[in-house]
Amino acid sequence: MDYTHLTLENWGPFLGNQELDLSRDGRRNVVIIYGENGTGKSHIFRALQFALYGQVIEDADELPLSSLVNEIEARERRNFVSSVALTVEDASRFTVQRNLNVESLEGLVRIDSESASLMLEESAP
């Protein structure tokens, strides 16, 4: 099973819609995520965990989902969506997407609702 694509929207430090190509080929069989401290590497792994399991566990504790949304968007908009979509290839290609409908009021962030979907895209070669 290969993770091939990750899309983040208003997730952690990633404002707006950001896409990461995780695909590999015969010459590139490892994906390296590199960056300075505080640039979002851990939030990428939290996004993978959230996409797969619907929760994020860190240091044996479940993180509140409200702590994973983009702080800038929370300050500027009262209602917005934070989402993670992970495309996986195996015998077929599918995308799992999880959305958080966020309400932000006077500095308090709360998750209004959550949703998840699984989309079968096509048969993998």
Side-chain angles (χ1 to χ4, degrees), residues 25-46:
D25 60 26
R27 296 184 339 236
R28 301 178 320 147
N29 62 0
V30 174
V31 174
I32 297 174
I33 298 175
Y34 174 81
E36 293 185 26
N37 289 344
T39 58
K41 298 178 301 295
S42 294
H43 269 82
I44 292 171
F45 291 102
R46 290 178 186 125

Side-chain angles (χ1 to χ4, degrees), residues 3 15 27:
Y3 304 140
L15 181 61
R27 296 184 339 236

Side-chain angles (χ1 to χ4, degrees), residues 44-83:
I44 292 171
F45 291 102
R46 290 178 186 125
L48 291 169
Q49 193 179 142
F50 179 63
L52 294 169
Y53 304 107
Q55 63 182 359
V56 177
I57 304 292
E58 197 166 281
D59 297 328
D61 293 321
E62 184 175 351
L63 293 180
L65 296 177
S66 60
S67 71
L68 300 171
V69 302
N70 184 273
E71 293 176 12
I72 294 170
E73 195 72 359
R75 282 194 302 268
E76 299 200 0
R77 294 180 54 197
R78 182 171 178 184
N79 296 296
F80 65 97
V81 173
S82 181
S83 68

